[in-house]
């Protein structure tokens, strides 16, 4: 099929490269000219394991085009356009910022191709879509939804082996086109109405941080009770109704999706009419975990009389260089504010703000080295070496 992808971020690029590798012709449009230039020159704008292999494949690359202007696209022969632009949280209104989506929908609305299947992949509440459609003069029932569930760090595998595909919409012929596109994927396709499709996405992104917050609260309880954390979590997770998957403590959870999606879920309802005490407190629980981690690090640093703290791993989890809403950055800022010498080291991200590889390897005084998430064996060996040479103290918040 002939596909257009609007927005070459994590979702747009991974989806588009995946579809191109399956033989579709894919045109990417992004207003960020720098990104488009990079992509045209066969260079990826961010790190995602395995994406380079598909992106650089000769056949796949021949199936892709990159443009920065909507007018450069020949829309007449296109079958499906996926809108994959960002939907961040607007900090002033504490609700989703729809300006990127509105601008993309506006562009598509001005086209003549009425058979084009316009599909929203971005995470967005249907009531916001309704507002945008009213503003730009588009019938909202003409839109289809295909919420995205990929996880940064395993996004390529998630594209090829999704747990499920969710399609939302009222126009059956458009839904059929999407079903055809996904017909070779080995998973269940859930076809539903637009609201339910978005609720599946939002509630999944509410349950996951809720589970992570549960583990983090359990961690605080176990530590304050003097129990053995790994034994306790193992024992709890072995109950088949609970499971040990996605059951790891962390300094706090973060990333580009969970924080904003949980905030938005709490905008779905009127709290004077509906009480959802669990869902409305997930963000608060995570803030408490962030502060708790900072306190634990600072007290260990003081008790052991160390020279500084090094946080290893800048992003919100392993295998990504996405720094959006990273707990490491938040904890770093808190420690710095308390006047303690603190640095970040990340083996994947080069930044003037972070420790260089050289100064990390040649550390010559005892530091508290905190692993913010699991690191590869090479790096772990290097860290163990530094610890033994400098009498540093290794602190592993996810394995206390
Ligand atoms: P991103 O910020 O990485 O990329 C968005 C891209 O869209 C940017 O390159 C931007 O320049 C471009 N863009 C913005 N407005 C545009 C316009 N009018 N025309 C063309 N390009 C435009 O975003 P992302 O992380 O890929 O997320 C996209 C959506 O998918 C969000 O709604 C997000 O919540 C959802 N989502 C993200 C993930 C994830 O792991 N990142 C997973 C599932 C769902």
């Amino acid at each position: 099929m002939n596909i257009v992808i609007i927005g070459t971020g994590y979702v747009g690029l991974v989806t588009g490269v995946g579809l191109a590798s399956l033989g579709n012709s894919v045109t990417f449009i992004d207003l960020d000219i720098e990104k488009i230039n990079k992509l045209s020159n066969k260079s990826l704008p961010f790190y995602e394991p395995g994406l380079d292999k598909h992106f650089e494949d000769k056949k796949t690359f021949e199936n892709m085009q990159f443009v920065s202007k909507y007018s450069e696209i020949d829309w007449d022969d296109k079958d499906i356009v996926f809108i994959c632009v960002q939907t961040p949280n607007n900090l002033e209104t504490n609700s989703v910022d729809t300006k990127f989506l509105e601008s993309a929908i506006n562009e598509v609305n001005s086209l003549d191709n009425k058979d084009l299947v316009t599909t929203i992949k971005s995470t967005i509440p249907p009531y916001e879509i309704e507002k945008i459609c009213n503003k730009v003069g588009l019938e909202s029932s003409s839109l289809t939804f295909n919420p995205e569930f990929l996880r940064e760090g395993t996004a390529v595998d998630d594209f090829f082996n999704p747990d499920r595909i969710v399609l939302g919409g009222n126009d059956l012929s458009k839904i059929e086109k999407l079903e055809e596109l996904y017909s070779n994927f080995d998973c269940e396709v859930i076809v539903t109405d637009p609201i339910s499709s978005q609720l599946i996405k939002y509630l999944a992104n509410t349950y996951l941080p809720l589970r992570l917050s549960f583990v983090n609260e359990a961690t605080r309880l176990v530590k304050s009770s003097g129990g053995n954390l790994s034994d306790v979590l193992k024992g709890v997770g072995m109950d088949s109704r609970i499971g040990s998957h996605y059951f790891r403590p962390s300094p706090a959870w973060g990333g580009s999706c969970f924080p904003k999606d949980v905030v938005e879920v709490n905008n779905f309802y009127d709290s004077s009419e509906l009480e959802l005490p669990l869902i409305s407190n997930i963000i608060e629980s995570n803030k408490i975990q962030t502060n708790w981690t900072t306190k634990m690090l600072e007290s260990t640093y003081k008790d052991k009389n160390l020279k500084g703290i090094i946080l290893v791993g800048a992003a919100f989890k392993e295998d990504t260089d996405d720094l959006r809403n990273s707990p490491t950055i938040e904890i770093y800022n808190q420690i710095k504010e308390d006047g303690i010498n603190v640095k970040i080291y990340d083996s994947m991200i080069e930044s003037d703000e972070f420790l260089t590889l050289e100064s990390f390897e040649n550390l010559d005084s005892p530091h508290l080295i905190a692993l913010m998430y699991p690191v590869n064996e090479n790096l772990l060996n290097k860290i163990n070496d530094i610890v033994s040479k400098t009498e540093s103290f290794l602190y592993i918040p996810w394995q206390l």
Side-chain angles (χ1 to χ4, degrees):
M1 284 194 198
N2 291 332
I3 313 281
V4 176
I5 298 276
I6 302 183
T8 60
Y10 289 85
V11 168
L13 196 56
V14 171
T15 305
V17 170
L19 289 172
S21 83
L22 295 175
N24 298 286
S25 159
V26 180
T27 305
F28 293 88
I29 163 130
D30 202 299
L31 302 182
D32 184 337
I33 297 178
E34 216 174 289
K35 259 188 190 172
I36 290 299
N37 286 343
K38 259 190 154 178
L39 289 164
S40 307
N41 290 321
K42 262 199 171 174
S43 166
L44 288 170
F46 53 82
Y47 174 71
E48 182 59 43
L51 187 59
D52 49 351
K53 190 184 105 213
H54 291 282
F55 181 71
E56 286 158 16
D57 176 80
K58 192 168 175 289
K59 259 196 166 160
T60 302
F61 202 78
E62 278 169 8
N63 285 340
M64 299 190 288
Q65 259 193 31
F66 305 95
V67 302
S68 58
K69 288 200 184 86
Y70 283 82
S71 58
E72 290 176 77
I73 302 173
D74 177 7
W75 289 96
D76 291 341
D77 69 347
K78 300 297 182 269
D79 298 297
I80 302 173
V81 52
F82 285 108
I83 302 184
C84 310
V85 300
Q86 65 269 52
T87 48
N89 187 27
N90 178 335
L91 291 176
E92 272 166 36
T93 58
N94 208 26
S95 62
V96 62
D97 183 347
T98 55
K99 66 171 175 286
F100 304 97
L101 201 55
E102 182 182 325
S103 131
I105 290 180
N106 210 8
E107 292 287 350
V108 176
N109 191 33
S110 65
L111 303 170
D112 283 337
N113 181 348
K114 296 300 167 211
D115 293 330
L116 186 68
V117 178
T118 303
T119 305
I120 313 283
K121 255 200 177 296
S122 302
T123 308
I124 182 79
Y127 50 81
E128 293 292 352
I129 286 285
E130 214 50 62
K131 283 190 221 161
I132 295 174
C133 286
N134 288 339
K135 208 164 159 188
V136 306
L138 173 71
E139 192 53 64
S140 62
S141 59
S142 67
L143 294 173
T144 46
F145 295 84
N146 174 209
E148 182 53 61
F149 298 91
L150 61 75
R151 298 157 296 174
E152 288 174 22
T154 54
V156 174
D157 192 46
D158 292 340
F159 171 82
F160 288 106
N161 303 294
D163 292 333
R164 73 304 212 186
I165 290 170
V166 175
L167 303 176
N170 298 313
D171 184 329
L172 282 186
S173 66
K174 291 188 168 166
I175 292 283
E176 274 167 18
K177 193 100 192 171
L178 289 167
E179 285 181 302
E180 193 186 329
L181 178 72
Y182 288 125
S183 57
N184 288 329
F185 283 69
D186 184 20
C187 71
E188 188 161 331
V189 177
I190 298 175
V191 176
T192 184
D193 57 89
I195 293 177
S196 305
S197 71
Q198 287 303 301
L199 282 173
I200 293 171
K201 173 66 195 172
Y202 273 104
L203 288 174
N205 269 12
T206 302
Y207 176 73
L208 293 168
L210 176 76
R211 186 168 163 99
L212 295 179
S213 277
F214 173 83
V215 179
N216 286 340
E217 289 198 11
T219 300
R220 304 202 292 267
L221 177 67
V222 173
K223 294 310 285 178
S224 79
S225 317
N228 178 307
L229 184 67
S230 63
D231 288 352
V232 172
L233 291 183
K234 187 175 174 194
V236 174
M238 281 178 86
D239 186 320
S240 59
R241 292 167 301 178
I242 298 172
S244 53
H245 184 61
Y246 215 65
F247 207 56
R248 177 181 94 194
S250 62
W253 48 264
S256 68
C257 290
F258 289 169
K260 73 169 176 73
D261 291 351
V262 176
V263 165
E264 198 51 39
V265 155
N266 284 295
N267 291 334
F268 270 67
Y269 63 97
D270 179 348
S271 58
S272 65
E273 292 188 358
L274 186 66
E275 286 184 70
L276 302 177
L278 267 183
I279 289 179
S280 59
N281 280 302
I282 307 172
I283 297 271
E284 187 55 28
S285 171
N286 199 42
K287 275 189 196 151
I288 293 171
Q289 177 70 4
T290 311
N291 298 342
W292 182 81
T293 304
T294 300
K295 245 195 211 151
M296 294 284 281
L297 289 171
E298 291 184 350
S299 64
T300 310
Y301 155 87
K302 281 177 194 149
D303 290 351
K304 304 217 171 272
N305 209 9
L306 300 165
K307 292 279 179 271
I309 299 178
I310 297 172
L311 307 176
V312 178
F316 67 104
K317 66 170 178 185
E318 58 270 36
D319 287 331
T320 179
D321 54 8
D322 189 349
L323 294 178
R324 289 178 284 185
N325 294 308
S326 159
T328 301
I329 308 286
E330 173 73 27
I331 289 164
Y332 167 85
N333 287 332
Q334 289 184 353
I335 297 175
K336 200 170 170 198
E337 219 163 86
D338 292 337
I340 295 172
N341 167 30
V342 57
K343 297 266 175 347
I344 295 174
Y345 172 72
D346 192 294
S347 58
M348 279 196 319
I349 308 171
E350 273 181 38
S351 159
D352 294 345
E353 318 246 308
F354 299 165
L355 268 188
T356 60
L357 177 63
E358 206 190 16
S359 55
F360 183 51
E361 281 182 327
N362 299 331
L363 205 66
D364 57 7
S365 58
H367 275 67
L368 177 63
I369 303 180
L371 301 194
M372 304 308 268
Y373 38 77
V375 297
N376 66 44
E377 215 181 305
N378 253 348
L379 182 55
L380 190 60
N381 288 340
K382 199 183 292 175
I383 290 169
N384 278 325
D385 202 37
I386 296 172
V387 168
S388 64
K389 275 197 315 229
T390 57
E391 290 178 14
S392 292
F393 185 79
L394 187 58
Y395 184 95
I396 308 185
W398 43 274
Q399 203 188 68
L400 287 162

